[in-house]
């Protein structure tokens, strides 16, 4: 019973009122976005909404979701603030590539599949996928600001010349 109550309290937090779960420089992260991200995270771990988790697991999930949503917003704001945010066309191209589609109809089908499998709406999917592009653009900006310029070709060459210098992990499922 205590386990069920702890899980319920995690989701009750998300259900009460219209107050945002966090605010990043005046930009509110809504309860709906939070719930959507929590459900997505649970589905990524193969958990259903009826899964009984310990209170520690529930708190960790809640914290991870809020931290991820705040991080996505911070990166987006930082890139926009310094003028290195991707254009709408760049973001669209990046998301199409990430989804493995080449046109609007493929995109629409992919969005439908993601919604069915993970419960993600289009906006949240764009945020989750787009944060990588925003991070890359912001990283490039910071590098250029400090006089560091590394092309993708140079990075691939460095890796190809000494792959043992990079983290090689072996992961297995228990």
């Amino acid at each position: 019973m205590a386990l069920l109550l702890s899980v319920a309290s995690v989701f009750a937090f998300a259900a009460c009122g219209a107050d945002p779960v966090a605010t990043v420089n005046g930009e509110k992260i809504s309860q709906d976005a939070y719930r959507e991200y929590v459900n997505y995270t649970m589905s990524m771990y193969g958990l259903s909404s009826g899964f009984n988790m310990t209170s520690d697991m529930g708190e960790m999930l809640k914290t991870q979701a809020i931290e991820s949503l705040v991080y996505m917003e911070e990166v987006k704001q930082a890139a926009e603030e310094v003028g290195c945010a991707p254009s709408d066309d760049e973001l669209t191209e990046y998301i199409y590539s990430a989804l493995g589609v080449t046109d609007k109809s493929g995109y629409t089908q992919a969005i439908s599949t993601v919604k069915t499998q993970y419960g993600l709406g289009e906006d949240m999917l764009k945020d989750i996928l787009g944060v990588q592009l925003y991070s890359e653009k912001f990283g490039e900006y910071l590098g250029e600001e400090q006089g560091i310029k590394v092309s993708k070709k140079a990075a691939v060459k460095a890796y190809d010349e000494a792959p043992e210098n990079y983290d090689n992990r072996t992961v297995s499922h228990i």
Side-chain angles (χ1 to χ4, degrees), residues 37 67-77 79 86 91 94-95 123-139:
Y37 194 83
E67 286 176 355
S68 294
L69 291 166
V70 166
Y71 173 76
M72 286 188 285
E73 185 58 36
E74 286 175 334
V75 168
K76 184 178 178 182
Q77 286 182 19
L91 193 55
Y94 186 84
I95 291 170
D123 290 339
M124 182 61 72
L125 178 64
K126 284 180 177 180
D127 287 345
I128 291 169
L129 295 176
V131 72
Q132 181 64 35
L133 182 59
Y134 275 92
S135 295
E136 288 174 15
K137 295 286 232 172
F138 190 63

Side-chain angles (χ1 to χ4, degrees), residues 30-106:
S30 72
Q31 295 283 339
D32 290 339
Y34 167 79
R35 279 191 297 275
E36 186 176 6
Y37 194 83
V38 165
N39 290 335
Y40 160 72
T41 302
M42 288 183 68
S43 72
M44 292 304 292
Y45 289 120
L47 306 174
S48 67
S49 60
F51 177 77
N52 289 327
M53 64 179 88
T54 66
S55 62
D56 288 347
M57 288 173 66
E59 283 300 313
M60 181 183 75
L61 178 63
K62 177 175 120 178
T63 300
Q64 177 190 6
I66 292 172
E67 286 176 355
S68 294
L69 291 166
V70 166
Y71 173 76
M72 286 188 285
E73 185 58 36
E74 286 175 334
V75 168
K76 184 178 178 182
Q77 286 182 19
E80 289 172 353
E81 184 178 319
V82 297
C84 68
S87 68
D88 289 342
D89 288 343
E90 287 175 309
L91 193 55
T92 298
E93 182 181 327
Y94 186 84
I95 291 170
Y96 275 33
S97 176
L99 293 173
V101 300
T102 57
D103 58 20
K104 183 69 174 169
S105 68

